[in-house]
Amino acid sequence: QVQLVESGGGLVQPGGSLRLSCEVSGFTSDYYAIGWFRQAPGKEREGVSCISSNDGSTYYANSVLGRFTISRDNAKNTVYLQMNSLKPEDTAAYYCAAEDENDLALLFRLCVLSRPADFGSWGHGTQVTVSS
């Protein structure tokens, strides 16, 4: 059973930085995508960033491109989301999610589309609040 545990959220001033961590366990497949999603009150959950296990290719939503960086540490089974130049509109609950896919073309598509419904395993989330 795949388990994901997020950490690193908190309160930060506009322009500040946070690093979220997602510790992943239980994967038996060699090919999977790990995505970061967020959901603000009253809004739909949206994809923020994604990384593929096979080649480390990454995806970013336009709203975070150039400010957020996704990375992985395979030795620690952890995926990170470094968030810089944070804005009040980044305030949300942040979730990491995972989905395995042995078809590499479909794996690429998983990250590019980053649709929450395509990811089957989810963490419980961590709150990020950007406010002065």
Side-chain angles (χ1 to χ4, degrees), residues 15-26:
S17 298
L18 282 175
R19 188 178 78 160
L20 305 184
S21 300
C22 174
E23 187 173 352
V24 184
S25 61

Side-chain angles (χ1 to χ4, degrees), residues 9-130:
L11 173 64
V12 63
Q13 292 186 343
S17 298
L18 282 175
R19 188 178 78 160
L20 305 184
S21 300
C22 174
E23 187 173 352
V24 184
S25 61
F27 255 114
T28 57
S29 173
D30 289 334
Y31 302 112
Y32 53 88
I34 304 291
W36 281 100
F37 297 81
R38 68 185 181 186
Q39 188 166 18
K43 294 188 176 181
E44 293 187 355
R45 191 168 296 188
E46 62 175 355
V48 174
S49 186
C50 185
I51 189 166
S52 298
S53 68
N54 61 317
D55 60 1
S57 58
T58 57
Y59 157 84
Y60 297 95
N62 287 335
S63 58
V64 306
L65 192 62
R67 300 188 298 124
F68 291 10
T69 303
I70 191 169
S71 62
R72 61 182 181 176
D73 184 333
N74 291 334
K76 296 182 179 180
N77 294 322
T78 300
V79 173
Y80 302 99
L81 185 68
Q82 178 66 45
M83 306 186 296
N84 298 330
S85 302
L86 282 162
K87 305 175 182 180
E89 51 263 43
D90 294 317
T91 295
Y94 283 71
Y95 301 86
C96 63
E99 182 65 24
D100 59 359
E101 177 55 69
N102 289 323
D103 184 316
L104 296 185
L106 293 180
L107 179 62
F108 173 75
R109 181 180 169 87
L110 258 180
C111 264
V112 169
L113 296 180
S114 283
R115 296 181 299 201
D118 292 337
F119 287 74
S121 299
W122 289 82
H124 292 296
T126 185
Q127 179 67 35
V128 172
T129 302
V130 185

